[in-house]
Amino acid sequence: MTHRITGEPFDLPTTLARHGCRLYVVNSQNDEPPGKPPYTVSAIHDPICERSENR
């Protein structure tokens, strides 16, 4: 493991994808009552990208 990222965007993560210097996290909402949207998607800056840009 090179990085550990925690916080609100990582509620119940099911998928992580990188595009450029952004990480997109898909969260399940299995703990919500019926009728709520099935997922949320959050984008954060990729910390590995920051490190490689500074070299």
Side-chain angles (χ1 to χ4, degrees):
M1 178 180 345
T2 60
H3 284 80
R4 179 178 293 216
I5 303 171
T6 61
E8 186 134 348
F10 300 97
D11 184 28
L12 293 170
T14 58
T15 305
L16 175 73
R18 179 182 293 128
H19 181 67
C21 287
R22 305 288 291 170
L23 294 175
Y24 294 87
V25 183
V26 179
N27 288 296
S28 168
Q29 289 189 352
N30 293 333
D31 61 341
E32 295 291 332
K36 291 268 189 165
Y39 61 87
T40 59
V41 178
S42 300
I44 63 168
H45 192 78
D46 182 354
I48 294 175
C49 187
E50 284 180 355
R51 188 173 56 190
S52 64
E53 288 177 348
N54 292 329
R55 289 183 184 179

